[in-house]
Amino acid sequence: MEDRGDRVIVAGSLDDLTEQAARAVSRSLADRAKGRDRVTLVLSGGTTPRRLYERLAGHEVPWRQVHLFWGDERCVPPEDSRSNYRMAYDSLISRVPIPPENVHRIPTEHADPHQAAARYEAALQGFFRLPPGAWPCFDVVVLGVGSDGHTASLFPGSSLLEEKKRWVVAGYIEQLQAPRVTLTLPVFNHAAQAMFLVAGKDKAAVMSALRPADGQDVRFPFQLIRPHHGQRIFSLDQDAAGSLKPS
Ligand code: 6PG
């Protein structure tokens, strides 16, 4: 992955988008697994990512080395149909030979979302074992984007966007009238690769902000994820791309 910076891929159809993204994720995982014991993949919720997980289950991936994490989670138990873990379990985990100890879900069965966030942060710190003040570098992070420009559970106007020290935070999301747990912007921005999967006409307006004109303000949370030393890939279908050109 010597490529750095942004890449925009506009797929001819939703099916092509899914297949290209599955190929890109499996290739990145295989490349980054070379010579290492483990490689990390962060999953998110959403209908576009779900299609990717189903497709990924049919691809060659070094599953025994892959450790799965989540970028965000709804505050429900893991068996709940709204759970992002449950969605990934049904679409991917139950179909591939990944060791159960490599699956690191956010423990949202706890009544208090802040406790779930603190426990997940402690689990991540135990996994990465970094010196104080260092940030984890996830190998591949899969993200969706909402029609309001949110990504993971980082919503427009949310105070969670201000977090500078913690790896995982919880908060009540006004737009959803529900609590969520999410990784923070500094964590996403230390990833090696962030891959955004975006489909549908309702996303075209926010996607037009992907290449802001000089001096134009950042308007949407997804724009704030720009890995400092990593790559950003946007996989869009034609509806979401609108007039954006591939790069
Ligand atoms: C979630 C997400 C969220 C999602 C976007 C896009 O838990 O819902 O992690 O950020 O990825 O809302 O979802 P769609 O692909 O369904 O539009």
Side-chain angles (χ1 to χ4, degrees):
M1 292 211 310
E2 58 290 344
D3 262 330
R4 294 292 178 217
D6 276 357
R7 233 182 114 199
V8 178
I9 300 164
V10 179
S13 67
L14 193 50
D15 198 56
D16 287 351
L17 182 163
T18 311
E19 182 55 29
Q20 283 171 13
R23 262 193 242 142
V25 170
S26 46
R27 207 180 306 125
S28 292
L29 290 172
D31 282 354
R32 294 189 64 88
K34 279 184 199 140
R36 291 165 66 198
D37 292 343
R38 56 191 203 181
V39 62
T40 52
L41 171 62
V42 177
L43 304 178
S44 64
T47 49
T48 327
R50 183 190 178 109
R51 288 191 192 94
L52 164 69
Y53 308 154
E54 285 164 350
R55 193 64 67 94
L56 206 51
H59 277 250
E60 205 173 307
V61 171
W63 288 116
R64 301 212 164 269
Q65 283 158 276
V66 174
H67 283 256
L68 289 183
F69 296 87
W70 274 260
D72 72 322
E73 187 55 282
R74 293 106 191 265
C75 292
V76 295
E79 60 279 6
D80 191 289
S81 60
R82 291 164 294 174
S83 156
N84 285 343
Y85 162 78
R86 164 86 193 264
M87 184 274 264
Y89 182 85
D90 291 346
S91 55
L92 176 68
I93 299 165
S94 60
R95 304 176 185 188
V96 298
I98 185 164
E101 61 275 19
N102 291 12
V103 177
H104 309 269
R105 67 173 180 83
I106 304 180
T108 37
E109 60 274 34
H110 300 290
D112 177 5
H114 297 282
Q115 200 185 17
R119 286 184 187 216
Y120 202 50
E121 181 161 319
L124 295 184
Q125 282 171 350
F127 180 86
F128 284 100
R129 298 190 180 283
L130 297 171
W135 293 97
C137 174
F138 286 105
D139 292 296
V140 180
V141 177
V142 172
L143 291 158
V145 177
S147 53
D148 60 356
H150 82 262
T151 189
S153 285
L154 297 166
F155 282 74
S158 164
S159 60
L160 302 185
L161 292 164
E162 308 305 324
E163 183 57 46
K164 303 267 187 303
K165 290 201 176 123
R166 297 193 45 199
W167 294 11
V168 189
V169 287
Y172 189 77
I173 310 296
E174 289 300 331
Q175 291 91 327
L176 304 173
Q177 297 283 295
R180 289 273 183 105
V181 178
T182 187
L183 300 187
T184 58
L185 281 174
V187 171
F188 288 122
N189 280 328
H190 283 82
Q193 188 179 72
M195 179 180 286
F196 293 85
L197 303 181
V198 199
K201 278 199 170 50
D202 59 323
K203 311 283 174 70
V206 290
M207 280 299 119
S208 66
L210 199 158
R211 294 194 187 111
D214 284 346
Q216 202 179 339
D217 287 342
V218 165
R219 284 151 60 213
F220 305 113
F222 85 86
Q223 295 174 283
L224 296 168
I225 297 187
R226 271 186 171 278
H228 307 306
H229 305 291
Q231 186 189 38
R232 244 179 12 160
I233 301 178
F234 287 89
S235 275
L236 312 172
D237 72 351
Q238 288 185 336
D239 285 344
S243 54
L244 273 177
K245 297 277 171 285
S247 61

